[in-house]
Amino acid sequence: MRSALAIALAITMSTAGAAVWAQNAPAPAAAPAPAPAPVVTKAKCDNPNALGVERIVQIDTTGGPGFGFEHFKAYDFLRDHEVVLTFDDGPWPGNTERVLKALAENCTKALFFPIGKHAGWHPEILKEVVKAGHTVGSHTWSHKDLSKLSDEEAKAEIEKGIAAVSIALGNKPVGPFFRFPALRHPPEMLKYVGTRNLGVFSTDLDSFDFKMRRPEQVVNSVMKKLEKHGKGIVLMHDFQHATAEAVSDLLKKLKAGGFKVVQVVGKTPVEPLPEYKAAVLKEIGGGLDVARPMSSVIQTIQGN
């Protein structure tokens, strides 16, 4: 489940030179008018009964704020009957595509926390997640419990995860959101992700879908907890087959229950560190950034 190099440029000039420049400098040009804020338009939706998206919330992740009342209490940004849908551990063939299909049919959006290795194995799927308009964060390189690692090992897990997601997306920056595996937050690593300006997502409602084998169990788990708490950040896994099968029915139940989806986006994406990009490419090879869907590259033309 669940430094950065600072470059200082100092420019010096003599006092006399500065005075001459000041005397001969042209009058400053008028400041350009600020660019208008981007307008977010709703995508066309052909389903009149779709759950949709009620609000889009932009989060400034400077300093590494935490979200999800299971561990963090400072930022309660959801209103009554609002939910944030989150999916961990993907991308995974079959399951992630099924989740994407259900979300598309209901014209709604989610926040995905992919594992770095899985992103490297299936970059074409992760590209589809972004293409569909969902938010993508990161969830470490290999889902190790960071509380059991040294600080350097844990740092590498975090950074390689970010790098792998970036590479899989075509060397693009990543959404500035991070979820610790098993929701275990070592204090030193909380401090570290703060220096990387990563918003940390815990959860309000853990579906515990990884313990379930039937889709109806997943739906019942989520709905009972939502009916009790009235709102929340919901933790699920697009890695899990039962969840992938459950999402379509769950979204219908959310709609019927009067729940509304809030999409979370980051103000400033996170860039991978070059040394960790190099480490990821060394481990799983190149070509991920330009990978096409496998079906468009390789086809069986004879035999089963």
Side-chain angles (χ1 to χ4, degrees), residues 46-258:
D46 295 326
N47 179 1
N49 298 312
L51 178 59
V53 174
E54 178 70 10
R55 292 193 294 145
I56 301 175
V57 173
Q58 183 186 80
I59 295 180
D60 181 350
T61 56
T62 303
F67 306 94
F69 266 50
E70 188 165 326
H71 295 95
F72 307 106
K73 314 295 184 185
Y75 301 105
D76 183 11
F77 65 90
L78 293 179
R79 302 165 185 165
D80 182 50
H81 273 65
E82 287 188 339
V83 300
V84 175
L85 303 171
T86 71
F87 293 93
D88 290 11
D89 295 1
W92 204 251
N95 295 341
T96 301
E97 290 101 328
R98 191 174 286 109
V99 170
L100 290 176
K101 183 175 184 293
L103 293 170
E105 289 173 347
N106 285 272
C107 304
T108 196
K109 306 297 180 185
L111 170 55
F112 287 79
F113 291 99
I115 293 174
K117 281 189 174 181
H118 293 179
W121 293 339
H122 307 290
E124 74 284 355
I125 301 177
L126 196 58
K127 286 184 175 75
E128 289 300 315
V129 176
V130 170
K131 183 179 178 181
H134 303 288
T135 303
V136 174
S138 59
H139 194 40
T140 73
W141 166 244
S142 62
H143 206 270
K144 291 180 180 177
D145 183 346
L146 303 192
S147 67
K148 297 180 179 180
L149 304 180
S150 70
D151 287 355
E152 283 304 311
E153 289 171 333
K155 176 182 172 182
E157 271 285 311
I158 294 168
E159 292 294 351
K160 286 173 68 178
I162 295 170
V165 171
S166 172
I167 293 167
L169 293 177
N171 289 315
K172 294 180 179 179
V174 179
F177 302 115
F178 178 76
R179 179 171 273 158
F180 283 86
L183 302 180
R184 292 174 182 159
H185 313 93
E188 290 305 314
M189 289 303 102
L190 272 177
K191 292 178 182 177
Y192 178 73
V193 298
T195 69
R196 293 287 275 133
N197 296 322
L198 291 167
V200 179
F201 265 74
S202 178
T203 186
D204 297 320
L205 310 169
D206 193 339
S207 67
F208 290 102
D209 56 350
F210 61 94
K211 297 182 178 181
M212 300 169 185
R213 295 294 175 265
R214 299 196 307 274
E216 60 268 25
Q217 292 176 305
V218 179
V219 174
N220 290 337
S221 173
V222 173
M223 293 308 300
K224 284 181 179 179
K225 292 175 180 180
L226 275 174
E227 287 162 3
K228 177 180 179 181
H229 296 284
K231 63 179 183 178
I233 298 166
V234 182
L235 193 163
M236 296 176 284
H237 298 80
D238 54 314
F239 178 80
Q240 298 293 334
H241 184 69
T243 301
E245 292 189 324
V247 172
S248 180
D249 191 35
L250 174 62
L251 298 178
K252 294 174 184 176
K253 290 285 199 304
L254 290 173
K255 173 73 173 180

Side-chain angles (χ1 to χ4, degrees), residues 222-299:
V222 173
M223 293 308 300
K224 284 181 179 179
K225 292 175 180 180
L226 275 174
E227 287 162 3
K228 177 180 179 181
H229 296 284
K231 63 179 183 178
I233 298 166
V234 182
L235 193 163
M236 296 176 284
H237 298 80
D238 54 314
F239 178 80
Q240 298 293 334
H241 184 69
T243 301
E245 292 189 324
V247 172
S248 180
D249 191 35
L250 174 62
L251 298 178
K252 294 174 184 176
K253 290 285 199 304
L254 290 173
K255 173 73 173 180
F259 290 96
K260 300 173 181 179
V261 170
V262 172
Q263 182 181 11
V264 174
V265 299
K267 181 178 180 180
T268 307
V270 62
E271 294 280 358
L273 300 180
E275 61 268 36
Y276 292 101
K277 285 188 69 174
V280 168
L281 289 170
K282 182 178 180 180
E283 185 159 345
I284 59 178
L288 300 178
D289 52 339
V290 295
R292 293 162 22 216
M294 190 176 298
S295 61
S296 71
V297 179
I298 302 167
Q299 293 183 341

